[in-house]
Amino acid sequence: MLIRLFPAAWLLVLLGGCAANRDEVIPALSAQVNFPAIGLFNQLPGNRLESWCDQQQKRQHADCQAGTLELTQLQSRLADSGLFPLITLEAGADYELLLSSAQIEDHKVRAELILAWRGILLHRYEYKVDTTEASAKIVRLLIADMLQDKVFSSGYLAGALESDNYEKDLQAPAKVANFQLSHRLTYNDPFQGSILTYKDPAYSSDRIEVSVYPIPSSDLSNTPAIIEEETAKLRGNLSDFAKQHNLPPLTMSQDKILDWTQQSKQFQGYYLDASIVSRDTEPFYASYFFFIQQDKIVRFTTTFPSDLAMNFVKEALPQMAIPGESAFMAKLRKP
């Protein structure tokens, strides 16, 4: 294809368990991974920690003091790992660590940490270490366990929430016409779903992204209204982006119906085109296709006009297997 994008306009297209209880065996960390932003908070000691404190006081005749580990120490040590983009003591992060701790004089520190996602318990960790550099030791143990458990993976979160497992259940063709599936991305956030990227090896800027995500509504029956809401959000995002970056005038078509039958199965969706044509810049073209499959929106985003993308869409969509409604979404949609 001969259509190419200038860099700023290309950005318009992109808009569219169990507790681990280990004593002091401190592992070396050599992870080359990225964890999400995380919030740190104190919590009251649980029954297990209180029981441990009582037992230690009786056995050793020593004082047991709660809350000896400070969040700022934990924050500093987690930051030193270089794995987290943000470690905050304020609310706002999807992932949170809730800390409770106790110390037997100058002998041992015991810590309980609960990992949660938007208030939903994912995993509980327990550690017992010497008091010398206790925060550093606990963080090293914690990170090693998090890496081993893969608690920040989309698959782990899907299992814990009983949400869609796109890595397992979303199926798509490896090749459609000249386009090859080059990348799969599954978001941790179950409301964002998954994105498949197709590229044409002969033209580096020709690209198609297929986004699959749950319908953000409890009423799944009114298909036209659902699609209209999605296209309206898209139009708003495109217009706002063009204004913010002082791009030439952006033209968008009306929503158009796409309807065809293949192997006795009917497919119906909507699509629209967007373009920027200016004397001072290379022309920008994009097209967007919206379908409803199961309880999901399936959106095709292309870097060229709809008449050139139509055959890809008609060939790809019938070959896709879209996950059905998850237990997580079913619970949220209950009146």
Side-chain angles (χ1 to χ4, degrees), residues 27-149:
L29 294 180
S30 58
Q32 299 296 321
V33 296
N34 292 317
F35 285 176
I38 195 165
L40 302 181
F41 301 93
N42 282 313
Q43 67 171 353
L44 295 175
N47 292 334
R48 291 168 61 89
L49 191 58
E50 288 183 343
S51 177
W52 177 80
C53 243
D54 291 340
Q55 291 174 7
Q56 297 303 311
Q57 288 183 128
K58 291 177 182 178
R59 291 175 184 174
Q60 301 185 29
H61 303 287
D63 290 334
C64 185
Q65 184 179 356
T68 53
L69 286 180
E70 295 185 6
L71 288 182
T72 52
Q73 295 175 348
L74 220 62
Q75 181 185 35
S76 177
R77 295 302 183 179
L78 288 169
D80 290 343
S81 72
L83 298 174
F84 296 89
L86 175 67
I87 303 136
T88 177
L89 305 183
E90 304 291 336
D94 286 343
Y95 284 93
E96 295 176 344
L97 269 176
L98 310 178
L99 168 70
S100 58
S101 64
Q103 180 174 331
I104 298 296
E105 292 188 344
D106 59 350
H107 305 304
K108 290 287 184 180
V109 173
R110 181 162 178 155
E112 293 183 354
L113 297 117
I114 291 177
L115 177 66
W117 181 85
R118 297 189 180 180
I120 300 173
L121 171 64
L122 296 182
H123 209 110
R124 184 189 304 273
Y125 295 98
E126 298 178 10
Y127 302 108
K128 185 173 62 178
V129 300
D130 288 336
T131 55
T132 304
E133 296 189 359
S135 294
K137 294 172 182 176
I138 287 170
V139 164
R140 293 176 74 84
L141 289 167
L142 176 66
I143 290 177
D145 283 339
M146 286 178 166
L147 290 168
Q148 179 176 323
D149 298 334

